Amino acid sequence: MYDWTISIAILIGGLLLSMGIGLPVALGFFAVNIAGVFLFMGGSRGIDQMLANATTAASTYSLAPVPLFLVMGSLFFHSGLARRVLDGIDALLGRLPARLSYLTLTSGTAFAALSGSSLANTGMLGSLMVPEMTKRGYKKHMSLGPILGSGGLAVIIPPSTLAVLFGSLARIDIGALLIAGLLPGVVLAMLYAGLIYGQAKVDPDAAPYFDVTPLPISKRVWIFTRDILPMVLIIIAVIGSILTGVATPTESGAMGIVAVALLALAFRALDMDAVIKAISEATRVTGMTFLLITASSTFAQLLAFSGASSGLVRWATGMDFGGMQMLLIMGLILLVLGMFMDQVSMMLVTLPVFVPLANTLGFDMVWWGLIMLLLLEASFTTPPFGLLLFVMHGVSPPGTTLPEVAKAALPYIACSFILIAILLVFPGLATWLPSLM
């Protein structure tokens, strides 16, 4: 039996090396798993165990909400309902300084609750809003920043597919983790709104004022009732069914699909093309995700079987570090990894080590999970190589540089850190709603 330091060096080092040479993440996991099986689990007998692990991991019931939430979000976008909500909010905002920045933030918050995908949120808002904001003379930090910020809300505002994956991998109650993000998500959106207000106040030319035709109250009520209220009711139904215990996350995801489909049908926006696109997109993402999960399940078992996990926990708990210091170290690791990896890959690499540590340190796992999700999202926009920065850069106007995108993201990353600090001081912000379930 190898010393735990050698075991963890072989497994983690081999995985990072495979990614460094450009091997796809899933293949890198499988390659390291096969090598680890022969080193630590006795060769062919270990291969049989690896196959059994893969089957068990892929058939875990707690992962069932993932494709359902993905189909719900994809159908919401491809049916044109997202555009209807955007136009409705635009009409209701009326005359307001920096109104397009607020429109982006408000729409992004609503879309986050229905899509659950940062990449989809950022790509769609960037394509729709940046050209109009550029035409109106908005400076880049006022057009790109709110999109990057609101795209990040998708990670913690339920239903979040990343929260479902995190809860499944970390063995945290998925319903509780989803609900825990609701109040912090609202606080984060408010921090973003305060940031936009401050930026517009300091530099009014950053978001030039333009006049809009005011609408009568009756027209505003009609637009809200027709275009926005149905979406709000769907969100309430999905979240409320989980919070009240009426439905599991899986059942609420199915309810959400039916509700979005019926709404699209009512607006005559449900056609076969939208259905095919929604299902194919969700199938592609789900297939990739499940492949990664099957590969990571054996990786986690190898860390445990080789003694790497227990050795690392003993080493970490034997140091003079307190719980907050260990949490800081976890956060720094995620911020560094976020420069090179997507969020799912980061979870698969770190959770086999982080979860035993968090349990040993006595953290409330729902509270800890929410903080990890916020750090995962912040790392997704970490300059200079955060993947969300590249998505934003891809839909930005010609001539926009990656440093400009990163500069626009920094104040919104700071808001995420402020929220994390609030959660450290007031953990009840994350744990109160789950305690009512």
Side-chain angles (χ1 to χ4, degrees):
M1 178 65 73
Y2 296 93
D3 183 75
W4 73 267
T5 54
I6 297 175
S7 300
I8 204 167
I10 292 172
L11 294 171
I12 301 291
L15 187 59
L16 295 177
L17 176 63
S18 68
M19 293 178 184
I21 62 176
L23 201 64
V25 176
L27 294 182
F29 267 112
F30 279 118
V32 172
N33 286 345
I34 292 171
V37 158
F38 279 95
L39 281 173
F40 305 118
M41 299 179 71
S44 58
R45 289 177 299 174
I47 294 290
D48 293 337
Q49 183 63 46
M50 184 174 75
L51 294 174
N53 288 345
T55 304
T56 303
S59 58
T60 302
Y61 178 73
S62 60
L63 290 172
V66 172
L68 296 175
F69 287 151
L70 286 171
V71 170
M72 183 178 73
S74 296
L75 192 59
F76 172 69
F77 284 121
H78 292 299
S79 65
L81 292 177
R83 183 71 206 214
R84 182 177 288 273
V85 172
L86 183 66
D87 291 341
I89 296 173
D90 186 19
L92 293 179
L93 281 178
R95 302 172 64 179
L96 185 71
R99 70 184 300 274
L100 291 181
S101 295
Y102 287 113
L103 172 61
T104 300
L105 174 64
T106 309
S107 304
T109 304
F111 296 163
L114 284 165
S115 74
S117 168
S118 296
L119 292 175
N121 230 26
T122 302
M124 192 203 72
L125 285 171
S127 301
L128 291 176
M129 296 302 302
V130 171
E132 178 66 19
M133 297 169 92
T134 303
K135 186 173 74 174
R136 296 285 184 181
Y138 277 57
K139 292 185 180 179
K140 287 175 181 175
H141 69 277
M142 294 297 289
S143 61
L144 306 183
I147 295 172
L148 288 164
S150 59
L153 288 169
V155 167
I156 60 172
I157 289 184
S160 164
T161 51
L162 196 70
V164 173
L165 287 173
F166 190 99
S168 178
L169 292 170
R171 301 292 187 269
I172 299 172
D173 185 298
I174 292 174
L177 188 58
L178 286 171
I179 295 302
L182 185 58
L183 290 180
V186 173
V187 172
L188 186 57
M190 292 171 64
L191 288 172
Y192 289 163
L195 174 62
I196 293 172
Y197 177 82
Q199 289 176 325
K201 200 75 173 174
V202 170
D203 184 8
D205 293 334
Y209 180 83
F210 63 95
D211 203 8
V212 293
T213 304
L215 295 176
I217 295 295
S218 58
K219 182 69 173 177
R220 289 171 177 263
V221 171
W222 169 243
I223 290 173
F224 175 79
T225 305
R226 182 192 62 189
D227 296 335
I228 299 174
L229 183 60
M231 307 299 172
V232 174
L233 293 177
I234 291 176
I235 295 170
I236 291 173
V238 171
I239 299 172
S241 62
I242 299 173
L243 179 60
T244 58
V246 172
T248 65
T250 302
E251 292 163 346
S252 69
M255 287 168 50
I257 293 175
V258 173
V260 170
L262 289 175
L263 192 58
L265 194 62
F267 284 119
R268 298 182 181 179
L270 186 65
D271 54 30
M272 191 53 65
D273 184 55
V275 173
I276 290 173
K277 284 182 178 178
I279 293 176
S280 61
E281 184 177 292
T283 301
R284 185 173 64 252
V285 176
T286 302
M288 176 198 70
T289 302
F290 275 51
L291 182 63
L292 285 167
I293 289 171
T294 55
S296 72
S297 63
T298 300
F299 183 78
Q301 189 172 41
L302 283 171
L303 284 173
F305 192 83
S306 65
S309 294
S310 58
L312 184 61
V313 169
R314 287 195 306 271
W315 172 80
T317 53
M319 303 289 285
D320 290 331
F321 296 143
M324 293 301 104
Q325 291 169 309
M326 288 304 305
L327 196 62
L328 177 62
I329 292 171
M330 293 179 191
L332 290 174
I333 291 171
L334 290 178
L335 290 176
V336 172
L337 291 180
M339 299 180 186
F340 313 103
M341 293 184 185
D342 63 275
Q343 292 162 315
V344 175
S345 300
M346 281 190 282
M347 285 196 305
L348 299 179
V349 171
T350 57
L351 285 185
V353 176
F354 284 3
V355 171
L357 267 177
N359 279 311
T360 302
L361 292 168
F363 291 144
D364 180 292
M365 294 305 287
V366 172
W367 170 84
W368 174 80
L370 188 63
I371 289 177
M372 289 296 106
L373 285 171
L374 284 166
L375 287 167
L376 283 167
E377 184 53 39
S379 70
F380 215 28
T381 47
T382 302
F385 304 120
L387 293 183
L388 210 60
L389 299 179
F390 288 99
V391 174
M392 187 73 257
H393 183 253
V395 297
S396 297
T400 303
T401 64
L402 196 60
E404 286 176 323
V405 177
K407 185 179 178 181
L410 286 175
Y412 292 86
I413 296 174
C415 287
S416 294
F417 289 145
I418 291 172
L419 178 58
I420 291 173
I422 292 172
L423 288 170
L424 293 177
V425 178
F426 304 105
L429 185 65
T431 58
W432 178 66
L433 276 180
S435 70
L436 302 179
M437 293 175 63

